[in-house]
């Protein structure tokens, strides 16, 4: 999750707040690359999983869904025999924004793998501590593109796609609507700039012309809208978060409304009467992830009957399962061993085989993947969030998106799904 974002994937509404920029300048990470290293077993026989729940204030609802998902995964793993016959331990949770301090607490508690944090701007503090301690880190929510190249020594992974992965889907929505040319209007800041550049590149690859890419500050989108209108595009891709509503209003004033608009994930919301009548009628947008199955929702509610939102639940559930499957593949619970097997068990490409070049079989859930291992095959975990297939940077190479279409009342309904794939390796 980028700083300040409040998703509600399982609800009809998506609540999105302003991006607060984050510096991702990496500290000196540990030497080597744990993702492809050959390591000796060094665990103590007990797989311990820690959580970093860093959501407070109006974002604290995000903690419950992740905690429920982690508890559900651990419950199922232990029902299948745990790790090497011993129960997997989910370390006691704590909530707070000081991810560095939480990481140090988890190292002291002998965590082998840590799930989290949520906020991209707080990821570095946790990664630095955990990577130095050779603890694997899997975030279910970090989306900042800069984390792809963060120096973690190969200990950092994420089951959420980077923000820029949505670019090809945004362009496809425009092209499917008959557009030959697009204009991009983006909010200032890392999110707007990164995604808008990716959209322009995706448009070129898809044979669409990009007539203009106009930037605006929140509340000051009038000139950007005028620039887009002058370019006379077939469609406008709006890349925004906190300033999205004001930008939509200005685009409407410029005659760019309804089905001409394609909205990035940060701009999708249930606007209703907050915008003029039919301002978004026919507009399309996307949200990352997949709509949770009824079975998965029921299982989560059984863990936490008070659960109101399921944002990042699928990604958290998959992160815990992947960690346990990696430990089973390595026959060791140490963080270095887990990190060295995550590419393989996720279905990713392992450089030079890495000792994991055997026959691959798709599997869902810990028990099914454990059965694959027992048959001397390589598991390819496909989870609740979809295929993972980590690349050499620890990023997912298949990103699922839910497509939303707006009606005349400026409310959005889910109308489809798309998958963006990366060629990264």
């Amino acid at each position: 999750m980028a700083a300040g974002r409040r998703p509600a994937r399982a609800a009809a509404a998506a609540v999105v707040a302003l991006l607060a920029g984050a510096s991702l300048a990496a500290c000196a990470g540990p030497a080597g690359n744990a993702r492809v290293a050959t390591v000796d077993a060094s665990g103590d026989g007990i797989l311990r999983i820690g959580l970093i729940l860093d959501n407070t204030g109006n974002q604290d609802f995000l903690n419950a869904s992740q905690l429920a998902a982690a508890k559900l995964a651990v419950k199922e793993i232990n029902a299948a025999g745990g790790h090497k016959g011993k129960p997997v331990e989910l370390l006691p949770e704590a909530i707070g924004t000081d991810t560095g301090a939480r990481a140090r607490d988890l190292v002291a508690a002998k965590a082998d793998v840590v799930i989290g944090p949520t906020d991209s701007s707080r990821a570095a503090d946790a990664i630095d501590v955990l990577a130095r301690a050779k603890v694997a880190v899997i975030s279910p929510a970090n989306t900042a593109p800069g984390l792809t190249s963060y120096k973690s020594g190969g200990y950092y992974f994420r089951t959420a796609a980077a923000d820029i992965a949505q670019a090809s889907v945004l362009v496809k929505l425009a092209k499917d609507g008959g557009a030959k040319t697009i204009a991009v209007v983006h909010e200032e800041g890392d999110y707007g700039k990164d995604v808008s550049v990716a959209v322009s590149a995706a448009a070129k690859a898809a044979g669409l012309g990009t007539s203009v890419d106009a930037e605006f500050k929140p509340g000051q989108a009038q000139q950007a809208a005028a620039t887009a209108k002058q370019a006379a595009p077939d469609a406008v891709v709006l890349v925004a978060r906190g300033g999205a509503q004001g930008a939509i209003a200005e685009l409407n004033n410029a005659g760019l409304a309804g089905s001409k608009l394609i909205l990035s994930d940060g701009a999708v919301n249930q606007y209703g009467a907050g915008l003029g009548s039919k301002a978004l009628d026919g507009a399309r947008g996307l949200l990352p992830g997949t709509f949770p199955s009824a079975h998965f929702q029921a299982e989560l509610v059984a863990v936490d009957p008070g659960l109101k939102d399921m944002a990042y639940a699928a990604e958290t559930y998959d992160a815990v399962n992947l960690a346990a499957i990696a430990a089973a593949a390595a026959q060791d619970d140490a963080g270095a061993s887990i990190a060295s097997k995550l590419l393989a068990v996720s279905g990713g490409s392992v450089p030079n085989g890495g000792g994991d070049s055997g026959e691959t079989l798709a599997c869902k859930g810990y028990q099914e993947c454990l059965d694959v291992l027992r048959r001397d095959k390589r598991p390819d975990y496909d989870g609740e969030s979809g295929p993972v297939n980590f690349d050499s940077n620890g990023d997912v190479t298949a990103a699922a998106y839910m497509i939303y279409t707006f009606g005349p009342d400026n409310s959005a309904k889910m109308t489809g799904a798309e998958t963006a794939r990366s060629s990264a390796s």
Side-chain angles (χ1 to χ4, degrees):
M1 184 183 84
R5 182 172 170 195
R6 297 192 300 139
R9 296 184 183 177
V15 184
V16 186
L18 177 63
L19 173 70
S23 172
L24 297 175
C27 297
N33 185 353
R35 299 184 189 114
V36 296
T38 300
V39 298
D40 295 326
S42 59
D44 61 6
I46 300 175
L47 176 58
R48 299 180 182 88
I49 298 174
L51 297 176
I52 293 182
L53 302 173
D54 56 320
N55 304 287
T56 58
N58 61 6
Q59 295 181 6
D60 62 1
F61 71 94
L62 293 171
N63 299 317
S65 56
Q66 294 176 64
L67 180 57
K71 287 181 175 179
L72 174 62
V74 169
K75 176 184 176 182
E76 293 176 351
I77 291 165
N78 286 335
H83 174 66
K84 299 178 73 172
K86 295 182 179 180
V88 172
E89 294 183 5
L90 185 63
L91 297 175
E93 72 274 9
I95 297 172
T97 58
D98 190 340
T99 58
R102 176 59 177 158
R104 288 188 289 273
D105 290 342
L106 289 170
V107 170
K110 299 183 180 180
D112 301 299
V113 59
V114 169
I115 312 303
T118 303
D119 197 319
S120 293
S121 70
R122 293 192 284 264
D125 290 342
I127 296 170
D128 290 345
V129 172
L130 296 167
R132 283 196 297 269
K134 297 184 178 180
V135 175
V137 190
I138 312 175
S139 172
N142 290 166
T143 60
L147 288 168
T148 291
S149 56
Y150 196 84
K151 294 179 180 178
S152 71
Y155 283 93
Y156 175 69
F157 301 78
R158 50 182 169 174
T159 49
D163 290 321
I164 59 174
Q166 67 186 288
S168 62
V169 179
L170 292 170
V171 169
K172 184 177 185 299
L173 292 178
K175 192 171 184 177
D176 288 351
K180 303 295 183 183
T181 61
I182 64 170
V184 181
V185 175
H186 75 268
E187 187 174 355
E188 69 173 6
D190 290 343
Y191 171 79
K193 291 177 181 177
D194 290 340
V195 177
S196 67
V197 169
V199 167
S200 295
K204 181 177 180 181
L208 299 186
T210 303
S211 55
V212 69
D213 184 352
E215 183 178 82
F216 70 92
K217 294 181 179 180
Q220 301 178 36
Q222 183 177 12
Q223 183 56 53
T227 300
K229 179 182 180 180
Q230 186 175 9
D234 296 323
V236 177
V237 177
L238 174 63
V239 182
R241 282 191 169 135
Q245 182 166 330
I248 294 169
E250 292 294 354
L251 287 166
N252 271 250
N253 292 338
L256 300 171
S259 60
K260 277 187 173 288
L261 299 180
I262 307 294
L263 308 184
S264 73
D265 63 346
V268 172
N269 210 329
Q270 301 291 16
Y271 291 101
L275 291 170
S277 178
K278 298 185 179 182
L280 287 173
D281 190 14
R284 287 156 294 155
L286 56 76
L287 289 174
T290 57
F291 198 86
S293 67
H295 174 75
F296 185 52
Q297 292 185 58
E299 291 292 303
L300 289 169
V301 171
V303 173
D304 180 0
L307 196 62
K308 301 297 184 183
D309 190 282
M310 297 185 185
Y312 301 126
E315 290 83 357
T316 301
Y317 177 84
D318 289 346
V320 173
N321 273 306
L322 281 163
I325 297 164
Q331 298 186 51
D332 183 47
D333 56 276
S337 296
I338 292 170
S340 73
K341 292 294 183 179
L342 278 170
L343 264 66
V345 302
S346 73
S349 177
V350 182
N352 302 318
D356 295 289
S357 56
E359 182 183 352
T360 299
L361 293 178
C363 53
K364 294 186 176 181
Y366 180 74
Q367 178 67 73
E368 192 174 325
C369 291
L370 202 60
D371 291 342
V372 172
L373 285 168
R374 287 168 177 162
R375 294 167 59 189
D376 292 325
K377 310 293 185 183
R378 173 183 162 192
D380 173 2
Y381 177 78
D382 293 336
E384 289 291 337
S385 65
V388 178
N389 304 342
F390 286 131
D391 66 15
S392 59
N393 296 310
D395 284 343
V396 297
T397 54
Y401 291 93
M402 298 175 287
I403 306 304
Y404 285 78
T405 301
F406 287 83
D409 61 350
N410 301 323
S411 294
K413 293 182 179 180
M414 183 180 170
T415 55
E418 295 284 350
T419 299
R421 299 190 181 278
S422 167
S423 60
S425 60

